[in-house]
Amino acid sequence: QAALGKVKWTLFVGPNHNLSSETSSYVFPSATHFEKEGTFTNFEGVVQKFDKVLEPVGQALSEGDILMRLAKEIGPHIAYDCYADIFREIAINHEGFKGLSYEQLEPKGADIRTMAAPTIPALQQYDNIL
């Protein structure tokens, strides 16, 4: 609280309403991990791409979309048009990512709806709305 009292404004980016979102000057609702695409690097250093499973609810955007929109407002020298542009920038500037491209990365996973189906038999009746 003491540190927050020293700043002129705060920005919250997140998928859930909480105390931080209530007290922030600006709030950007972000999508959950099921509602966005992107990449992550696991604890073994393996870079993986993941795909969007569901559309975001309400005004939520992925953090990547939020950053790309903010970058376009700040200036064209940091404008990104897609996730591949962001990943390309990372690959150029960070040694561990050199030689990698977003387009060549493969998703390693399964559709959560398919994985959940055996444990949630009623899921099949809702498949047309998912």
Side-chain angles (χ1 to χ4, degrees), residues 32-36 50-55 107-124 127 130:
T32 68
H33 58 284
F34 294 115
E35 301 168 328
K36 58 188 172 187
F50 59 93
D51 295 320
K52 178 169 52 171
V53 177
L54 303 168
E55 288 301 316
K108 303 286 187 199
D111 184 334
I112 188 66
R113 294 171 295 177
T114 304
M115 294 183 334
T119 58
I120 309 173
L123 185 62
Q124 268 52 358
D127 194 42
L130 292 178

Side-chain angles (χ1 to χ4, degrees), residues 40-53:
F40 68 92
T41 305
N42 71 15
F43 72 98
E44 293 176 324
V46 176
V47 181
Q48 295 174 281
K49 185 177 2 179
F50 59 93
D51 295 320
K52 178 169 52 171
V53 177

Side-chain angles (χ1 to χ4, degrees), residues 21-109:
S21 66
E22 277 187 22
T23 59
S24 289
S25 308
Y26 302 96
V27 175
F28 290 93
S30 68
T32 68
H33 58 284
F34 294 115
E35 301 168 328
K36 58 188 172 187
E37 69 171 281
T39 63
F40 68 92
T41 305
N42 71 15
F43 72 98
E44 293 176 324
V46 176
V47 181
Q48 295 174 281
K49 185 177 2 179
F50 59 93
D51 295 320
K52 178 169 52 171
V53 177
L54 303 168
E55 288 301 316
V57 175
Q59 296 178 325
L61 297 171
S62 70
E63 291 86 351
D65 286 330
I66 292 168
L67 290 173
M68 285 187 278
R69 288 181 181 200
L70 286 173
K72 285 184 182 187
E73 291 296 319
I74 292 169
H77 61 287
I78 56 171
Y80 302 108
D81 291 320
C82 62
Y83 294 102
D85 292 344
I86 296 171
F87 193 86
R88 193 174 300 104
E89 182 85 14
I90 293 169
I92 289 169
N93 291 295
H94 297 282
E95 190 62 38
F97 290 84
K98 295 224 184 284
L100 296 177
S101 78
Y102 187 80
E103 295 80 8
Q104 291 173 333
L105 292 174
E106 294 291 327
K108 303 286 187 199

